Amino acid sequence: MAPAAFEAQAPQGEDTVFSSSSVNDASTHRSKVSVIGSGNWGSVASKLIASNALRLTSFHDEVRMWVYEETLQSGEKLTDAINRTNENVKYLPGIKLGKNVVADPDLENAVRDADMLVFVTPHQFMEGICKRLVGKIRPDAEAISLVKGMEVKMEGPCMISSLISQILGINCSVLMGANIANEIAVEKFSEATVGYRQNRDVAERWVQLFYTPYFIVTAVQDVEGVELCGTLKNVVAIAAGFVDGLEMGNNTKAAIMRLGLREMKAFSKLLFPSVKDSTFFESCGVADLITTCLGGRNRKVAEAYAKNGGKRSFDELEAEMLQGQKLQGVSTAREVYEVLSHRGWLELFPLFSTVHEISSGLLPPSAIVEYSEKQVRSF
């Protein structure tokens, strides 16, 4: 059933397919991998990477995972608990990460000598993390971002992969997909998409690092398209949660998902005309949208927000329901709204606009199905 390990889009639009054996033999260089982030998804990513680091000779066995240090209720430091139990007892309990995963609370030490850097933290912390790493990483390091979100600056929106490249001066690919972390943790079949810029060999190595029989990874030459899919689907998931909380039914939810996909594609192409239509049919696109609207944390908390009539804030619900994990959809909706407002595009994106206005308390949750009365431009 599993598709080929690597499907890179050639300039003529034809797919070039690499067998898993050719990927595994791509290089004799032993890369050292560091994972910057240790939440739910970061821990699962470390588990995937650790299994391949032990199995393949092209990687050093040890995988360092940077942990934002916390003190557990027991009084033990989270880092100590992870290294003692080989589990992230707070964010991924019951799942062994691999004996070669070493939790490290020292960011500089965690990335020392690594030439493959995997970023997987909430997007609102990424700029600060990158600034702390300036001058601390290898100049030949390659990065990959698993981070969903964007930074909005005076000069316009900045994708996280671009933020990493600009601050650290290194190339950055992205990995996105229909990836609910707890399902991958127990090795249920899933897919993901690597987005890369120019270097196909680098993309092959990222595929090699993440690919397992239950986690199928393909690569496409479209960083912005892959990354925007992973970012914007969280906004649509908030809308889907409102629909669920108001018990509007599956027809309404399907309509919201379709309209959301349309706005995802239109927004992406307005910002980056190079984004490919085909990217929206990869795992990072429609598949990620579906799974996030059915089972993700953004949908879950938005459902609770709607059930409470918008009377309890997202911050309050996040703290109560997610045990330290962070929502991305609400902050992304705000950032997207800032872009739309600045560029005069609000009326072109009624769903995105309405999600922010509901999330910020300007409109009631029921407005999610009233937005269609606005003038909508067809894309």
Side-chain angles (χ1 to χ4, degrees):
M1 171 180 170
F6 185 91
E7 296 174 2
Q9 292 185 351
Q12 294 78 17
E14 298 177 355
D15 286 348
T16 303
V17 180
F18 296 81
S19 69
S20 57
S21 60
S22 69
V23 170
N24 292 347
D25 295 335
S27 174
T28 58
H29 170 69
R30 283 170 60 83
S31 294
K32 184 174 182 181
V33 184
S34 290
V35 180
I36 298 99
S38 57
N40 186 237
W41 184 211
S43 297
V44 173
S46 295
K47 177 181 185 289
L48 290 166
I49 291 166
S51 66
N52 284 328
L54 284 180
R55 184 176 62 86
L56 302 173
T57 58
S58 50
F59 302 104
H60 284 281
D61 288 352
E62 183 181 274
V63 176
R64 289 258 161 188
M65 180 177 73
W66 176 64
V67 176
Y68 180 79
E69 192 65 282
E70 302 178 51
T71 301
L72 302 173
Q73 287 186 340
S74 65
E76 187 177 18
K77 298 291 187 183
L78 178 58
T79 299
D80 293 337
I82 292 172
N83 288 330
R84 177 177 59 81
T85 64
N86 193 229
E87 296 179 15
N88 189 328
V89 295
K90 181 171 183 180
Y91 296 111
L92 194 66
I95 301 296
K96 297 298 181 183
L97 302 180
K99 293 293 185 182
N100 54 325
V101 174
V102 178
D104 193 333
D106 185 325
L107 179 60
E108 182 177 342
N109 190 63
V111 303
R112 183 172 289 121
D113 298 325
D115 59 349
M116 298 184 78
L117 304 174
V118 179
F119 288 91
V120 54
T121 67
H123 79 276
Q124 54 266 41
F125 304 132
M126 278 300 303
E127 185 169 11
I129 289 171
C130 288
K131 287 180 176 177
R132 290 172 60 188
L133 290 176
V134 172
K136 310 298 184 183
I137 63 171
R138 289 175 49 153
D140 63 343
E142 287 283 340
I144 194 166
S145 172
L146 281 61
V147 181
K148 279 91 171 175
M150 67 175 73
E151 291 280 332
V152 177
K153 300 179 179 296
M154 290 295 292
E155 59 272 22
C158 178
M159 303 310 298
I160 298 301
S161 63
S162 297
L163 185 79
I164 293 168
S165 293
Q166 290 169 9
I167 296 177
L168 298 179
I170 59 176
N171 182 55
C172 186
S173 305
V174 297
L175 182 144
M176 306 283 162
N179 304 146
I180 292 178
N182 289 335
E183 295 181 9
I184 301 169
V186 294
E187 304 186 2
K188 293 183 178 180
F189 183 85
S190 183
E191 296 178 314
T193 310
V194 165
Y196 71 100
R197 296 197 183 281
Q198 300 295 333
N199 193 327
R200 188 177 297 169
D201 291 338
V202 169
E204 287 184 58
R205 291 188 68 74
W206 287 123
V207 170
Q208 180 186 15
L209 184 64
F210 284 95
Y211 186 101
T212 73
Y214 63 89
F215 191 71
I216 307 304
V217 186
T218 58
V220 297
Q221 194 173 359
D222 185 6
V223 170
E224 286 80 14
V226 173
E227 190 168 11
L228 276 164
C229 282
T231 296
L232 298 173
K233 54 93 180 186
N234 285 325
V235 180
V236 186
I238 296 289
F242 294 154
V243 169
D244 287 343
L246 296 170
E247 299 182 353
M248 293 179 172
N250 291 329
N251 292 342
T252 306
K253 189 170 181 178
I256 290 294
M257 291 165 67
R258 183 193 70 81
L259 293 163
L261 181 61
R262 184 178 70 178
E263 292 195 11
M264 287 169 57
K265 181 180 175 183
F267 184 82
S268 299
K269 283 182 163 290
L270 281 174
L271 286 184
F272 300 99
S274 64
V275 167
K276 299 173 180 177
D277 289 347
S278 58
T279 299
F280 293 90
F281 296 95
E282 299 288 343
S283 178
C284 64
V286 65
D288 194 9
L289 177 64
I290 291 169
T291 198
T292 306
C293 288
L294 295 180
R297 72 183 70 158
N298 291 279
R299 186 219 63 81
K300 177 182 178 181
V301 179
E303 178 182 25
Y305 182 87
K307 284 184 175 179
N308 284 277
K311 296 177 181 178
R312 297 184 65 193
S313 72
F314 270 98
D315 287 342
E316 181 183 356
L317 292 167
E318 175 188 83
E320 177 183 301
M321 300 175 69
L322 299 185
Q323 289 80 51
Q325 295 182 69
K326 293 295 182 183
L327 283 178
Q328 299 298 308
V330 174
S331 56
T332 300
R334 181 182 65 250
E335 290 154 354
V336 168
Y337 192 89
E338 290 176 15
V339 174
L340 298 179
S341 179
H342 178 73
R343 300 198 177 194
W345 293 348
L346 285 173
E347 290 188 355
L348 306 182
F349 296 90
L351 181 62
F352 285 173
S353 302
T354 302
V355 168
H356 169 69
E357 289 166 357
I358 294 173
S359 301
S360 58
L362 297 174
L363 292 175
S366 59
I368 197 62
V369 293
E370 296 166 4
Y371 84 92
S372 58
E373 297 174 4
K374 301 178 183 178
Q375 181 67 32
V376 181
R377 170 181 168 182
S378 296
F379 291 95

